Amino acid sequence: MALYYINRAILRNNAYSKKSKRGNVIEDDLPIFFKHQQDREANHMAAFTSKDPNDWDSFTTHWNKILTDRDIIKQTIIVENTVVGHVLRFEQFGEP
């Protein structure tokens, strides 16, 4: 299963389609992902949400598990040198 999060503003401007690139998630990306998580509209549309999108400690605990799991493919989506989201690929219910 792949999980995608892309900043809505980028989608509205159609900047995502041809100018995007992906790189490995690094710890410096986490504050940006946290800010994305706090977007109310994005939370409403998300398949997986946090109980409290403003809880930094829970967020970092969750992401530290993701970052240390070698079976999870994790990439940052970058458009025009700006982090706009991330993509994760992981096994769920026995299926990739």
Side-chain angles (χ1 to χ4, degrees):
M1 166 182 268
L3 173 67
Y4 303 91
Y5 178 89
I6 303 169
N7 187 305
R8 285 185 344 276
I10 297 299
L11 290 176
R12 275 195 296 262
N13 295 328
N14 283 334
Y16 173 69
S17 59
K18 295 183 182 177
K19 298 178 182 177
S20 68
K21 63 181 180 176
R22 290 185 288 172
N24 291 328
V25 172
I26 58 172
E27 286 192 39
D28 289 348
D29 297 334
L30 297 184
I32 299 165
F33 296 166
F34 183 67
K35 187 174 181 179
H36 292 166
Q37 175 180 288
Q38 294 172 310
D39 183 303
R40 282 185 167 186
E41 193 172 334
N43 266 304
H44 180 72
M45 296 185 297
F48 304 100
T49 59
S50 171
K51 288 182 184 178
D52 179 2
N54 296 308
D55 184 346
W56 173 254
D57 291 335
S58 291
F59 175 85
T60 55
T61 298
H62 175 71
W63 267 97
N64 282 329
K65 289 178 189 175
I66 291 170
L67 291 173
T68 58
D69 189 331
R70 291 180 177 202
D71 293 329
I72 298 175
I73 298 170
K74 41 215 164 269
Q75 297 207 307
T76 299
I77 302 169
I78 302 163
V79 175
E80 296 178 351
N81 296 320
T82 301
V83 172
V84 297
H86 62 273
V87 103
L88 303 175
R89 185 174 189 279
F90 56 92
E91 187 174 305
Q92 185 176 19
F93 309 119
E95 306 222 1

